[in-house]
Amino acid sequence: MARTDLEQSPSIEDLELLAEISQMLTLLDRDRLLERVIELTVKAFGADKASLLLHPEHTDEWSHVFIKHTNGASDVQRYDEEQSLHFARRVLDRGLAGWVVANKQGTIVLDTEEDERWHTFPDSKSGARSALCVPFLYDDNVLGVLTLLHTEPFHFNDTHLRLITIIANQTTVAVRNAHLFNKMRHQQQQLEAILHGMPDLLLVLDDQGRLLLVNNAASRLLQSGTVVESVVGRELKEFLNHDSVLDVIHEIVDNPLQSGQTWSFETRSEQQRRDYLVTISVWENVVQDTGVAANPAGYVVVMRDITTLRDLNRFKDEMLQMASHDLRSPLALIVGYCSLIALEAPEGSLIHEYLDIIQRSTERMKGLLDDLLRVEQIRNSPLELNEQVDILELVNTVLNNMRPLVDSKRQHLEARLSLENAPGVAGNPVLIREAMENLVSNAVKYTPDGGKITVESYIQGKRLHFVVEDNGIGIPRQALPRLFESFYRVNQEGTENIEGRGLGLSLVKTIIDRHHGEVWVESEVGIGSRFGFWMPV
Ligand code: ADP
């Protein structure tokens, strides 16, 4: 169908060519797309040869993609990288392609021997006498240059130029689409490799609790036995009997979280005998045009295996317990002998002053050891949990006990209690009160004078919730996972003069663990903290 005699207005054949080419434009393989477009153009325009220069994104260099000869569809000649660079530099520097790039428009060379824009290179074998050359323009940048050649002069005319300009414009859009598609696919593959390669377990759920993404590590948790099930698209609740951890996660995502909310807690998988630090955060769909976040679109759950860390921690606690036991006797001796020395020392001697300092220091040490042993005692001693605790009464006692402390810092204490007709909690009232008081006294301690503290307690499902919120100094994100360890204190500005031993939260966690509940914390530096726990009713 070689046509050298195109009329000036588009013919049916021109339109057919355009239609045929526009069908090509959905191809996402860039090289195949270009090859097909050029093949059709060469054939339709009766050219002897075509060549294409491309300006690949992210590089400053051009490359010469291929040369296509009319005689034979398989006759596509590709250059290796070095050759193509050499060729591209040469024609862009002195050849017609250089003129097209500089002027950003297509052109015809009617006779190569007459047109000074045409440069014949000494080693050229093309024997071209006429040429048609168009740029691929995108956003005023030249992405490519297509040149058609013919061995006869005056082969190309203005209709060819108009037609090939349309083709070039359309092809450019298609090349951009192919490029974007490939870029996205590449990024997706990269992301998948990262997600599947990481040792942390990752689950992404939609707002209905359906699994959207499960990495390899997490997928092992969802599988039962040796049967490999496909999990994506199914609901989390279908897998609850596979692992106790999933139960806990399901309960949280089943009660809609607020946007921007994050839950972080430690839990143990009884089936696998492993401990996990679980972080659940809300992800939301952002409406593109307005940038406004829509309702929560779902949840991202990350689980880190902290079994080794916990074992080490347990080991540390045991060592501490042993050391504290062993330290008590020598300490008692020091205190005893101090009293004896005091009896012997003459009135008004400096010795009394020195003994005073020793005595105060030993008292501080004794207090520390007592606290430590108390945590251990609660952790290890048998606990009677069959006493029915009246929660409303207990929380009111806590609030009353805490009032003087709150007033001493002129803070505002708000209580939001929904505990009327609350069922009793089976537990140890003294310990539960101690846990509650610890959270409130921490809120008072780490909130400046005049701050606000809110205590919330309510029953949801089969759980009693107790939450203390403050607008105090807050806690850096990286400190959150270690907060409940014994002796852990956050080293941050504003806490230098606040006394503490780093045992309060460890005690809270031990008490709540013993009541089969869980503690959690959310906090932001400069904004405040929310500490809370739940336990079964
Ligand atoms: P401490 O005796 O140091 O208060 P805790 O175990 O009670 O020991 O708390 C551990 C650390 O957690 C504290 O040193 C403090 O840095 C941080 N912390 C606890 N509660 C709060 C709170 N409400 N606001 C800010 N930081 C807190």
Side-chain angles (χ1 to χ4, degrees), residues 376-385 431 508-517:
E376 285 315 311
Q377 188 201 356
I378 296 171
R379 189 172 291 154
N380 298 320
S381 59
L383 200 61
E384 293 289 325
L385 291 183
L431 293 183
V508 174
K509 178 161 169 45
T510 309
I511 295 175
I512 302 308
D513 279 351
R514 298 287 328 251
H515 284 82
H516 311 297

Side-chain angles (χ1 to χ4, degrees), residues 438-439 442-447 470 472-475 483-485 487-492 495 498-507 523 528-531:
N438 243 303
L439 294 186
N442 270 354
V444 174
K445 236 162 73 170
Y446 297 101
T447 301
D470 64 55
I473 58 170
I475 301 160
L483 231 45
F484 297 96
E485 289 174 19
F487 291 115
Y488 184 77
R489 300 203 72 209
V490 185
N491 192 1
Q492 92 191 90
T495 58
I498 302 179
E499 283 220 3
R501 298 183 180 128
L503 284 170
L505 289 178
S506 152
L507 185 75
S523 188
S529 311
R530 264 165 72 83
F531 280 85

Side-chain angles (χ1 to χ4, degrees), residues 371-411:
D371 278 359
L372 240 171
L373 288 169
R374 184 152 164 65
V375 174
E376 285 315 311
Q377 188 201 356
I378 296 171
R379 189 172 291 154
N380 298 320
S381 59
L383 200 61
E384 293 289 325
L385 291 183
N386 34 23
E387 190 175 339
Q388 283 297 311
V389 183
D390 180 337
I391 285 300
L392 182 59
E393 193 186 309
L394 191 71
V395 174
N396 277 325
T397 311
V398 169
L399 292 172
N400 286 335
N401 290 352
M402 289 288 114
R403 185 69 63 186
L405 193 64
V406 175
D407 291 344
S408 72
K409 289 187 79 176
R410 297 188 312 282
Q411 289 166 335

